[in-house]
Short mmCIF file of all heavy atoms in Angstrom, two decimals:
data_model
loop_
_atom_site.label_atom_id
_atom_site.label_comp_id
_atom_site.label_asym_id
_atom_site.label_seq_id
_atom_site.Cartn_x
_atom_site.Cartn_y
_atom_site.Cartn_z
N SER A 299 -1.56 9.06 -15.39
CA SER A 299 -1.40 10.28 -16.19
C SER A 299 -0.94 9.96 -17.60
O SER A 299 -1.48 10.48 -18.58
CB SER A 299 -0.38 11.20 -15.50
OG SER A 299 -0.14 12.36 -16.29
N TYR A 300 0.05 9.08 -17.72
CA TYR A 300 0.55 8.71 -19.05
C TYR A 300 -0.52 8.00 -19.86
O TYR A 300 -0.71 8.27 -21.05
CB TYR A 300 1.77 7.81 -18.93
CG TYR A 300 2.99 8.47 -18.32
CD1 TYR A 300 3.92 7.72 -17.60
CD2 TYR A 300 3.23 9.83 -18.48
CE1 TYR A 300 5.05 8.30 -17.04
CE2 TYR A 300 4.34 10.43 -17.91
CZ TYR A 300 5.26 9.66 -17.20
OH TYR A 300 6.36 10.24 -16.65
N LEU A 301 -1.25 7.09 -19.22
CA LEU A 301 -2.26 6.33 -19.94
C LEU A 301 -3.45 7.19 -20.34
O LEU A 301 -4.04 7.01 -21.40
CB LEU A 301 -2.73 5.15 -19.09
CG LEU A 301 -1.70 4.04 -18.83
CD1 LEU A 301 -2.23 3.07 -17.78
CD2 LEU A 301 -1.37 3.31 -20.12
N LYS A 302 -3.81 8.13 -19.48
CA LYS A 302 -5.01 8.93 -19.72
C LYS A 302 -4.75 10.13 -20.62
O LYS A 302 -5.50 10.39 -21.55
CB LYS A 302 -5.58 9.41 -18.39
CG LYS A 302 -6.83 10.26 -18.52
CD LYS A 302 -7.35 10.68 -17.15
CE LYS A 302 -8.61 11.53 -17.28
NZ LYS A 302 -9.13 11.95 -15.96
N LYS A 303 -3.69 10.89 -20.33
CA LYS A 303 -3.50 12.17 -21.00
C LYS A 303 -2.60 12.09 -22.23
O LYS A 303 -2.86 12.69 -23.24
CB LYS A 303 -2.91 13.18 -20.02
CG LYS A 303 -3.84 13.53 -18.87
CD LYS A 303 -3.20 14.56 -17.95
CE LYS A 303 -4.13 14.92 -16.80
NZ LYS A 303 -3.51 15.90 -15.87
N ASP A 304 -1.53 11.36 -22.11
CA ASP A 304 -0.52 11.40 -23.16
C ASP A 304 -0.71 10.34 -24.23
O ASP A 304 -0.07 10.39 -25.27
CB ASP A 304 0.87 11.27 -22.56
CG ASP A 304 1.20 12.44 -21.64
OD1 ASP A 304 0.82 13.56 -21.95
OD2 ASP A 304 1.84 12.18 -20.62
N GLU A 305 -1.57 9.37 -23.97
CA GLU A 305 -1.84 8.30 -24.93
C GLU A 305 -0.55 7.64 -25.40
O GLU A 305 -0.40 7.28 -26.57
CB GLU A 305 -2.64 8.85 -26.12
CG GLU A 305 -3.98 9.43 -25.72
CD GLU A 305 -4.78 9.94 -26.89
OE1 GLU A 305 -4.22 10.02 -28.00
OE2 GLU A 305 -5.95 10.24 -26.70
N LEU A 306 0.40 7.48 -24.51
CA LEU A 306 1.64 6.81 -24.85
C LEU A 306 1.39 5.31 -25.00
O LEU A 306 0.51 4.74 -24.37
CB LEU A 306 2.68 7.03 -23.75
CG LEU A 306 3.20 8.45 -23.56
CD1 LEU A 306 4.05 8.53 -22.31
CD2 LEU A 306 4.00 8.89 -24.77
N PRO A 307 2.18 4.63 -25.82
CA PRO A 307 2.09 3.17 -25.88
C PRO A 307 2.34 2.60 -24.49
O PRO A 307 3.14 3.14 -23.72
CB PRO A 307 3.23 2.79 -26.84
CG PRO A 307 3.44 4.00 -27.68
CD PRO A 307 3.18 5.17 -26.77
N ILE A 308 1.68 1.52 -24.15
CA ILE A 308 1.84 0.92 -22.83
C ILE A 308 3.29 0.50 -22.60
O ILE A 308 3.82 0.62 -21.50
CB ILE A 308 0.88 -0.28 -22.67
CG1 ILE A 308 -0.57 0.23 -22.63
CG2 ILE A 308 1.20 -1.08 -21.41
CD1 ILE A 308 -1.62 -0.85 -22.58
N SER A 309 3.95 0.07 -23.66
CA SER A 309 5.35 -0.34 -23.53
C SER A 309 6.23 0.84 -23.14
O SER A 309 7.15 0.71 -22.32
CB SER A 309 5.85 -0.95 -24.84
OG SER A 309 5.63 -0.05 -25.92
N GLN A 310 5.95 2.01 -23.70
CA GLN A 310 6.76 3.17 -23.36
C GLN A 310 6.41 3.68 -21.96
O GLN A 310 7.28 4.16 -21.23
CB GLN A 310 6.57 4.30 -24.38
CG GLN A 310 7.58 5.43 -24.18
CD GLN A 310 7.62 6.39 -25.35
OE1 GLN A 310 6.79 6.33 -26.24
NE2 GLN A 310 8.61 7.26 -25.35
N THR A 311 5.15 3.58 -21.58
CA THR A 311 4.76 3.94 -20.22
C THR A 311 5.52 3.07 -19.22
O THR A 311 6.00 3.57 -18.20
CB THR A 311 3.24 3.75 -20.03
OG1 THR A 311 2.54 4.65 -20.90
CG2 THR A 311 2.83 4.03 -18.59
#
Side-chain angles (χ1 to χ4, degrees):
S299 176
Y300 294 150
L301 292 170
K302 180 179 180 180
K303 295 181 180 179
D304 297 322
E305 299 182 349
L306 293 172
I308 292 175
S309 54
Q310 189 167 10
T311 297

